[in-house]
Amino acid sequence: MSTGHPERGPHQVPLWFLWDGQAVWMCTTATSMTARNLREEPRVRLALPDTFDVVLLQGEAECFPDQEVPGEAAEAFTAKFGWDPRTEEGPFLYVRVVPKRVLAWRGEQELRGRAIMRDGTWQE
């Protein structure tokens, strides 16, 4: 996840992610630089899943403290990763990003035509 802060600049960190069919869910400590940046600027960019099959997703982050996250999302996250941040010491923050723009390509031959979503609408 890439975040930015008007004074500290860009910050990028790898996070586990879960796609629920409409949004990407991630989790980070509530005191992390990522969480601090999201409080100031909710616009983010995600780079998924690797450097050959590239998906770049842009959207705005919606943040949920670990004790306020929707149960269905927290349970799906726990089921996928075998880890429940809600049971950890210290606060965690769940982050939900609904894509507004998605770019995707597979290798250099697909650099053209990689915009598959614009302004929240899938392109054909």
Side-chain angles (χ1 to χ4, degrees), residues 31-83:
T31 57
S32 69
M33 183 176 292
T34 298
R36 291 192 308 262
N37 284 353
L38 290 173
R39 288 184 194 100
E40 296 290 325
E41 174 55 76
R43 292 177 297 173
V44 299
R45 177 174 263 187
L46 309 177
L48 313 169
D50 59 48
T51 58
F52 186 75
D53 292 320
V54 178
V55 176
L56 297 178
L57 183 149
Q58 288 176 236
E60 288 197 19
E62 183 179 6
C63 298
F64 298 87
D66 55 5
Q67 299 307 312
E68 298 175 22
V69 64
E72 186 175 295
E75 294 303 322
F77 194 89
T78 300
K80 181 173 182 180
F81 301 111
W83 173 61

Short mmCIF file of all heavy atoms in Angstrom, two decimals, residues 31-83:
data_model
loop_
_atom_site.label_atom_id
_atom_site.label_comp_id
_atom_site.label_asym_id
_atom_site.label_seq_id
_atom_site.Cartn_x
_atom_site.Cartn_y
_atom_site.Cartn_z
N THR A 31 -0.95 2.64 15.15
CA THR A 31 0.05 3.68 15.36
C THR A 31 1.10 3.73 14.24
O THR A 31 2.04 4.51 14.32
CB THR A 31 0.76 3.46 16.71
OG1 THR A 31 1.34 2.16 16.71
CG2 THR A 31 -0.21 3.61 17.87
N SER A 32 0.93 2.92 13.20
CA SER A 32 1.91 2.88 12.11
C SER A 32 1.89 4.16 11.28
O SER A 32 0.93 4.94 11.32
CB SER A 32 1.62 1.69 11.19
OG SER A 32 0.41 1.92 10.47
N MET A 33 2.96 4.36 10.51
CA MET A 33 3.00 5.52 9.62
C MET A 33 1.87 5.44 8.60
O MET A 33 1.27 6.45 8.23
CB MET A 33 4.34 5.63 8.92
CG MET A 33 4.44 6.88 8.04
SD MET A 33 6.04 7.13 7.27
CE MET A 33 7.02 7.49 8.71
N THR A 34 1.56 4.23 8.14
CA THR A 34 0.45 4.05 7.19
C THR A 34 -0.84 4.56 7.80
O THR A 34 -1.58 5.33 7.17
CB THR A 34 0.32 2.56 6.80
OG1 THR A 34 1.53 2.15 6.16
CG2 THR A 34 -0.86 2.33 5.90
N ALA A 35 -1.14 4.17 9.04
CA ALA A 35 -2.37 4.63 9.72
C ALA A 35 -2.36 6.14 9.91
O ALA A 35 -3.38 6.81 9.68
CB ALA A 35 -2.52 3.92 11.05
N ARG A 36 -1.22 6.68 10.30
CA ARG A 36 -1.13 8.14 10.49
C ARG A 36 -1.35 8.87 9.17
O ARG A 36 -2.06 9.88 9.12
CB ARG A 36 0.23 8.51 11.10
CG ARG A 36 0.37 8.05 12.54
CD ARG A 36 1.58 8.66 13.23
NE ARG A 36 2.83 8.49 12.49
CZ ARG A 36 3.73 7.55 12.74
NH1 ARG A 36 3.51 6.66 13.68
NH2 ARG A 36 4.84 7.49 12.03
N ASN A 37 -0.75 8.35 8.09
CA ASN A 37 -0.95 8.99 6.79
C ASN A 37 -2.41 8.94 6.36
O ASN A 37 -2.94 9.91 5.81
CB ASN A 37 -0.08 8.32 5.72
CG ASN A 37 1.37 8.71 5.81
OD1 ASN A 37 1.76 9.58 6.59
ND2 ASN A 37 2.20 8.05 5.03
N LEU A 38 -3.08 7.81 6.59
CA LEU A 38 -4.47 7.67 6.18
C LEU A 38 -5.39 8.65 6.89
O LEU A 38 -6.41 9.06 6.34
CB LEU A 38 -4.96 6.23 6.41
CG LEU A 38 -4.34 5.19 5.48
CD1 LEU A 38 -4.77 3.79 5.91
CD2 LEU A 38 -4.70 5.45 4.03
N ARG A 39 -5.03 9.02 8.11
CA ARG A 39 -5.84 10.01 8.84
C ARG A 39 -5.76 11.38 8.16
O ARG A 39 -6.71 12.16 8.23
CB ARG A 39 -5.37 10.10 10.29
CG ARG A 39 -5.74 8.89 11.11
CD ARG A 39 -5.34 9.06 12.58
NE ARG A 39 -5.41 7.78 13.24
CZ ARG A 39 -4.37 6.99 13.51
NH1 ARG A 39 -3.15 7.38 13.20
NH2 ARG A 39 -4.54 5.83 14.09
N GLU A 40 -4.64 11.68 7.53
CA GLU A 40 -4.44 12.97 6.86
C GLU A 40 -4.88 12.94 5.40
O GLU A 40 -5.36 13.93 4.87
CB GLU A 40 -2.96 13.37 6.92
CG GLU A 40 -2.44 13.62 8.31
CD GLU A 40 -3.00 14.90 8.92
OE1 GLU A 40 -3.21 15.88 8.18
OE2 GLU A 40 -3.24 14.89 10.14
N GLU A 41 -4.65 11.79 4.73
CA GLU A 41 -4.92 11.67 3.30
C GLU A 41 -5.38 10.25 2.99
O GLU A 41 -4.58 9.32 3.01
CB GLU A 41 -3.65 11.99 2.51
CG GLU A 41 -3.75 11.76 1.02
CD GLU A 41 -4.90 12.51 0.37
OE1 GLU A 41 -4.78 13.73 0.18
OE2 GLU A 41 -5.92 11.87 0.04
N PRO A 42 -6.69 10.05 2.73
CA PRO A 42 -7.21 8.70 2.53
C PRO A 42 -6.97 8.11 1.13
O PRO A 42 -7.19 6.93 0.92
CB PRO A 42 -8.71 8.86 2.78
CG PRO A 42 -8.99 10.27 2.42
CD PRO A 42 -7.76 11.05 2.80
N ARG A 43 -6.49 8.92 0.18
CA ARG A 43 -6.24 8.37 -1.16
C ARG A 43 -5.01 7.47 -1.13
O ARG A 43 -3.97 7.85 -0.58
CB ARG A 43 -6.04 9.50 -2.18
CG ARG A 43 -7.31 10.29 -2.43
CD ARG A 43 -7.08 11.42 -3.38
NE ARG A 43 -6.11 12.35 -2.78
CZ ARG A 43 -5.60 13.39 -3.42
NH1 ARG A 43 -5.91 13.63 -4.68
NH2 ARG A 43 -4.75 14.19 -2.82
N VAL A 44 -5.15 6.28 -1.73
CA VAL A 44 -4.07 5.29 -1.71
C VAL A 44 -3.91 4.66 -3.08
O VAL A 44 -4.77 4.75 -3.94
CB VAL A 44 -4.34 4.16 -0.67
CG1 VAL A 44 -4.43 4.73 0.73
CG2 VAL A 44 -5.60 3.38 -1.01
N ARG A 45 -2.78 3.97 -3.24
CA ARG A 45 -2.54 3.14 -4.41
C ARG A 45 -2.02 1.81 -3.90
O ARG A 45 -1.17 1.74 -3.03
CB ARG A 45 -1.54 3.77 -5.36
CG ARG A 45 -1.26 2.84 -6.55
CD ARG A 45 -0.39 3.49 -7.56
NE ARG A 45 -1.25 4.02 -8.61
CZ ARG A 45 -0.80 4.55 -9.73
NH1 ARG A 45 0.48 4.66 -9.95
NH2 ARG A 45 -1.64 4.98 -10.64
N LEU A 46 -2.58 0.73 -4.46
CA LEU A 46 -2.15 -0.62 -4.12
C LEU A 46 -1.49 -1.24 -5.35
O LEU A 46 -1.98 -1.05 -6.47
CB LEU A 46 -3.34 -1.47 -3.70
CG LEU A 46 -4.25 -0.90 -2.62
CD1 LEU A 46 -5.42 -1.84 -2.37
CD2 LEU A 46 -3.48 -0.64 -1.35
N ALA A 47 -0.43 -1.98 -5.14
CA ALA A 47 0.24 -2.72 -6.21
C ALA A 47 0.10 -4.20 -5.89
O ALA A 47 0.63 -4.68 -4.90
CB ALA A 47 1.71 -2.32 -6.29
N LEU A 48 -0.64 -4.92 -6.75
CA LEU A 48 -0.96 -6.33 -6.51
C LEU A 48 -0.63 -7.14 -7.75
O LEU A 48 -0.76 -6.62 -8.85
CB LEU A 48 -2.45 -6.48 -6.20
CG LEU A 48 -3.06 -5.52 -5.18
CD1 LEU A 48 -4.56 -5.63 -5.20
CD2 LEU A 48 -2.52 -5.78 -3.80
N PRO A 49 -0.43 -8.39 -7.76
CA PRO A 49 0.15 -9.19 -6.69
C PRO A 49 1.66 -9.33 -6.83
O PRO A 49 2.34 -9.60 -5.87
CB PRO A 49 -0.53 -10.54 -6.84
CG PRO A 49 -0.75 -10.68 -8.32
CD PRO A 49 -0.98 -9.25 -8.82
N ASP A 50 2.22 -9.17 -8.07
CA ASP A 50 3.67 -9.30 -8.23
C ASP A 50 4.13 -8.43 -9.39
O ASP A 50 3.34 -7.70 -9.98
CB ASP A 50 4.08 -10.77 -8.43
CG ASP A 50 3.45 -11.41 -9.65
OD1 ASP A 50 3.47 -10.80 -10.73
OD2 ASP A 50 2.93 -12.54 -9.52
N THR A 51 5.40 -8.52 -9.76
CA THR A 51 5.95 -7.62 -10.77
C THR A 51 5.70 -8.08 -12.20
O THR A 51 5.98 -7.34 -13.13
CB THR A 51 7.46 -7.45 -10.57
OG1 THR A 51 8.08 -8.73 -10.63
CG2 THR A 51 7.75 -6.78 -9.24
N PHE A 52 5.17 -9.27 -12.43
CA PHE A 52 4.88 -9.72 -13.79
C PHE A 52 3.40 -9.55 -14.11
O PHE A 52 3.03 -8.99 -15.13
CB PHE A 52 5.30 -11.18 -13.99
CG PHE A 52 5.15 -11.60 -15.43
CD1 PHE A 52 6.04 -11.18 -16.39
CD2 PHE A 52 4.08 -12.39 -15.83
CE1 PHE A 52 5.88 -11.54 -17.73
CE2 PHE A 52 3.91 -12.76 -17.14
CZ PHE A 52 4.82 -12.34 -18.10
N ASP A 53 2.53 -10.06 -13.26
CA ASP A 53 1.09 -9.87 -13.41
C ASP A 53 0.70 -8.67 -12.55
O ASP A 53 0.36 -8.81 -11.39
CB ASP A 53 0.33 -11.12 -12.95
CG ASP A 53 0.57 -12.29 -13.86
OD1 ASP A 53 0.61 -12.09 -15.08
OD2 ASP A 53 0.72 -13.41 -13.35
N VAL A 54 0.76 -7.49 -13.13
CA VAL A 54 0.64 -6.26 -12.37
C VAL A 54 -0.81 -5.77 -12.33
O VAL A 54 -1.48 -5.73 -13.35
CB VAL A 54 1.53 -5.15 -13.00
CG1 VAL A 54 1.38 -3.85 -12.25
CG2 VAL A 54 2.98 -5.60 -13.03
N VAL A 55 -1.25 -5.41 -11.13
CA VAL A 55 -2.53 -4.74 -10.93
C VAL A 55 -2.25 -3.55 -10.03
O VAL A 55 -1.75 -3.71 -8.92
CB VAL A 55 -3.58 -5.67 -10.27
CG1 VAL A 55 -4.86 -4.90 -10.00
CG2 VAL A 55 -3.84 -6.89 -11.12
N LEU A 56 -2.54 -2.35 -10.53
CA LEU A 56 -2.45 -1.14 -9.72
C LEU A 56 -3.86 -0.66 -9.46
O LEU A 56 -4.64 -0.49 -10.39
CB LEU A 56 -1.65 -0.05 -10.44
CG LEU A 56 -0.20 -0.36 -10.73
CD1 LEU A 56 0.44 0.79 -11.50
CD2 LEU A 56 0.57 -0.65 -9.47
N LEU A 57 -4.18 -0.47 -8.22
CA LEU A 57 -5.53 -0.10 -7.80
C LEU A 57 -5.47 1.21 -7.05
O LEU A 57 -4.65 1.36 -6.16
CB LEU A 57 -6.07 -1.22 -6.91
CG LEU A 57 -7.48 -1.13 -6.39
CD1 LEU A 57 -8.04 -2.52 -6.24
CD2 LEU A 57 -7.53 -0.40 -5.08
N GLN A 58 -6.30 2.17 -7.42
CA GLN A 58 -6.39 3.43 -6.71
C GLN A 58 -7.77 3.57 -6.11
O GLN A 58 -8.77 3.15 -6.70
CB GLN A 58 -6.15 4.60 -7.66
CG GLN A 58 -4.72 4.73 -8.10
CD GLN A 58 -4.54 5.84 -9.11
OE1 GLN A 58 -4.03 5.58 -10.19
NE2 GLN A 58 -4.94 7.05 -8.79
N GLY A 59 -7.82 4.17 -4.93
CA GLY A 59 -9.08 4.40 -4.26
C GLY A 59 -8.88 5.19 -2.99
O GLY A 59 -7.77 5.65 -2.70
N GLU A 60 -9.94 5.34 -2.23
CA GLU A 60 -9.87 6.02 -0.94
C GLU A 60 -10.06 5.00 0.16
O GLU A 60 -10.93 4.14 0.08
CB GLU A 60 -10.92 7.12 -0.83
CG GLU A 60 -10.58 8.30 -1.68
CD GLU A 60 -11.36 9.55 -1.31
OE1 GLU A 60 -11.90 9.62 -0.18
OE2 GLU A 60 -11.41 10.45 -2.15
N ALA A 61 -9.23 5.12 1.18
CA ALA A 61 -9.27 4.19 2.30
C ALA A 61 -10.36 4.59 3.30
O ALA A 61 -10.52 5.76 3.62
CB ALA A 61 -7.92 4.16 3.00
N GLU A 62 -11.07 3.59 3.76
CA GLU A 62 -12.01 3.75 4.86
C GLU A 62 -11.43 2.93 6.01
O GLU A 62 -11.11 1.76 5.83
CB GLU A 62 -13.39 3.21 4.47
CG GLU A 62 -14.45 3.39 5.51
CD GLU A 62 -15.80 2.87 5.06
OE1 GLU A 62 -15.89 2.26 3.98
OE2 GLU A 62 -16.76 3.06 5.81
N CYS A 63 -11.25 3.55 7.17
CA CYS A 63 -10.55 2.89 8.28
C CYS A 63 -11.52 2.48 9.39
O CYS A 63 -12.46 3.21 9.70
CB CYS A 63 -9.49 3.83 8.85
SG CYS A 63 -8.22 4.26 7.64
N PHE A 64 -11.24 1.29 9.95
CA PHE A 64 -12.07 0.74 11.03
C PHE A 64 -11.15 0.30 12.17
O PHE A 64 -10.31 -0.59 11.97
CB PHE A 64 -12.84 -0.50 10.55
CG PHE A 64 -13.79 -0.23 9.43
CD1 PHE A 64 -13.37 -0.27 8.11
CD2 PHE A 64 -15.13 0.04 9.69
CE1 PHE A 64 -14.25 -0.03 7.07
CE2 PHE A 64 -16.02 0.27 8.66
CZ PHE A 64 -15.58 0.24 7.34
N PRO A 65 -11.30 0.88 13.36
CA PRO A 65 -10.55 0.35 14.50
C PRO A 65 -10.89 -1.13 14.68
O PRO A 65 -12.00 -1.57 14.34
CB PRO A 65 -11.06 1.18 15.68
CG PRO A 65 -11.56 2.45 15.06
CD PRO A 65 -12.11 2.03 13.71
N ASP A 66 -9.95 -1.90 15.21
CA ASP A 66 -10.12 -3.35 15.28
C ASP A 66 -11.38 -3.79 16.02
O ASP A 66 -11.93 -4.83 15.71
CB ASP A 66 -8.88 -4.03 15.86
CG ASP A 66 -8.46 -3.50 17.21
OD1 ASP A 66 -9.17 -2.66 17.80
OD2 ASP A 66 -7.40 -3.93 17.69
N GLN A 67 -11.86 -3.01 16.95
CA GLN A 67 -13.07 -3.40 17.69
C GLN A 67 -14.36 -2.89 17.03
O GLN A 67 -15.44 -3.14 17.51
CB GLN A 67 -12.98 -2.91 19.14
CG GLN A 67 -11.80 -3.49 19.91
CD GLN A 67 -11.74 -5.02 19.86
OE1 GLN A 67 -12.73 -5.70 20.09
NE2 GLN A 67 -10.56 -5.55 19.57
N GLU A 68 -14.21 -2.19 15.89
CA GLU A 68 -15.38 -1.66 15.17
C GLU A 68 -15.49 -2.18 13.75
O GLU A 68 -16.40 -1.80 13.02
CB GLU A 68 -15.33 -0.13 15.16
CG GLU A 68 -15.40 0.49 16.54
CD GLU A 68 -15.22 2.00 16.51
OE1 GLU A 68 -15.47 2.62 15.46
OE2 GLU A 68 -14.84 2.55 17.56
N VAL A 69 -14.58 -3.05 13.34
CA VAL A 69 -14.59 -3.58 11.98
C VAL A 69 -15.82 -4.48 11.80
O VAL A 69 -16.22 -5.18 12.74
CB VAL A 69 -13.28 -4.35 11.68
CG1 VAL A 69 -13.15 -5.58 12.55
CG2 VAL A 69 -13.17 -4.72 10.21
N PRO A 70 -16.46 -4.45 10.64
CA PRO A 70 -17.58 -5.37 10.41
C PRO A 70 -17.11 -6.82 10.63
O PRO A 70 -16.06 -7.23 10.13
CB PRO A 70 -17.96 -5.12 8.95
CG PRO A 70 -17.52 -3.71 8.69
CD PRO A 70 -16.26 -3.54 9.50
N GLY A 71 -17.91 -7.57 11.38
CA GLY A 71 -17.54 -8.94 11.74
C GLY A 71 -17.24 -9.83 10.55
O GLY A 71 -16.29 -10.63 10.57
N GLU A 72 -18.01 -9.70 9.48
CA GLU A 72 -17.81 -10.54 8.29
C GLU A 72 -16.43 -10.31 7.67
O GLU A 72 -15.75 -11.24 7.28
CB GLU A 72 -18.91 -10.22 7.27
CG GLU A 72 -18.89 -11.12 6.05
CD GLU A 72 -20.07 -10.82 5.14
OE1 GLU A 72 -21.23 -11.05 5.57
OE2 GLU A 72 -19.82 -10.36 4.01
N ALA A 73 -16.00 -9.05 7.63
CA ALA A 73 -14.68 -8.73 7.07
C ALA A 73 -13.58 -9.27 7.96
O ALA A 73 -12.60 -9.86 7.48
CB ALA A 73 -14.54 -7.22 6.89
N ALA A 74 -13.69 -9.08 9.26
CA ALA A 74 -12.67 -9.56 10.19
C ALA A 74 -12.57 -11.08 10.16
O ALA A 74 -11.46 -11.64 10.18
CB ALA A 74 -12.98 -9.08 11.61
N GLU A 75 -13.70 -11.76 10.08
CA GLU A 75 -13.68 -13.23 10.04
C GLU A 75 -13.07 -13.74 8.73
O GLU A 75 -12.31 -14.72 8.74
CB GLU A 75 -15.10 -13.79 10.22
CG GLU A 75 -15.70 -13.51 11.60
CD GLU A 75 -14.85 -14.05 12.74
OE1 GLU A 75 -14.26 -15.14 12.62
OE2 GLU A 75 -14.78 -13.36 13.78
N ALA A 76 -13.36 -13.09 7.62
CA ALA A 76 -12.77 -13.49 6.34
C ALA A 76 -11.26 -13.26 6.36
O ALA A 76 -10.49 -14.10 5.86
CB ALA A 76 -13.41 -12.71 5.19
N PHE A 77 -10.82 -12.16 6.94
CA PHE A 77 -9.39 -11.87 7.06
C PHE A 77 -8.71 -12.94 7.91
O PHE A 77 -7.67 -13.49 7.54
CB PHE A 77 -9.20 -10.48 7.70
CG PHE A 77 -7.81 -9.93 7.58
CD1 PHE A 77 -7.44 -9.18 6.49
CD2 PHE A 77 -6.88 -10.15 8.59
CE1 PHE A 77 -6.15 -8.66 6.38
CE2 PHE A 77 -5.60 -9.64 8.49
CZ PHE A 77 -5.23 -8.90 7.39
N THR A 78 -9.32 -13.28 9.03
CA THR A 78 -8.78 -14.31 9.92
C THR A 78 -8.73 -15.66 9.23
O THR A 78 -7.75 -16.39 9.33
CB THR A 78 -9.61 -14.40 11.22
OG1 THR A 78 -9.56 -13.12 11.87
CG2 THR A 78 -9.09 -15.47 12.14
N ALA A 79 -9.78 -16.00 8.50
CA ALA A 79 -9.83 -17.29 7.80
C ALA A 79 -8.73 -17.38 6.74
O ALA A 79 -8.11 -18.43 6.57
CB ALA A 79 -11.20 -17.49 7.16
N LYS A 80 -8.48 -16.30 6.03
CA LYS A 80 -7.47 -16.32 4.97
C LYS A 80 -6.06 -16.41 5.52
O LYS A 80 -5.23 -17.14 4.99
CB LYS A 80 -7.59 -15.09 4.07
CG LYS A 80 -6.57 -15.09 2.94
CD LYS A 80 -6.77 -13.98 1.95
CE LYS A 80 -5.71 -14.10 0.84
NZ LYS A 80 -5.85 -13.06 -0.16
N PHE A 81 -5.77 -15.68 6.61
CA PHE A 81 -4.39 -15.57 7.08
C PHE A 81 -4.10 -16.33 8.37
O PHE A 81 -2.95 -16.43 8.78
CB PHE A 81 -4.01 -14.10 7.25
CG PHE A 81 -4.12 -13.34 5.97
CD1 PHE A 81 -5.10 -12.38 5.80
CD2 PHE A 81 -3.27 -13.61 4.91
CE1 PHE A 81 -5.22 -11.69 4.60
CE2 PHE A 81 -3.38 -12.93 3.71
CZ PHE A 81 -4.36 -11.97 3.56
N GLY A 82 -5.15 -16.87 9.03
CA GLY A 82 -4.92 -17.59 10.27
C GLY A 82 -4.45 -16.68 11.40
O GLY A 82 -3.79 -17.12 12.33
N TRP A 83 -4.80 -15.41 11.32
CA TRP A 83 -4.39 -14.42 12.30
C TRP A 83 -5.52 -13.43 12.51
O TRP A 83 -6.10 -12.93 11.54
CB TRP A 83 -3.13 -13.70 11.80
CG TRP A 83 -2.70 -12.54 12.62
CD1 TRP A 83 -2.32 -12.56 13.93
CD2 TRP A 83 -2.59 -11.18 12.19
NE1 TRP A 83 -1.98 -11.30 14.34
CE2 TRP A 83 -2.13 -10.42 13.29
CE3 TRP A 83 -2.83 -10.52 10.99
CZ2 TRP A 83 -1.91 -9.06 13.23
CZ3 TRP A 83 -2.61 -9.15 10.92
CH2 TRP A 83 -2.16 -8.44 12.03
#
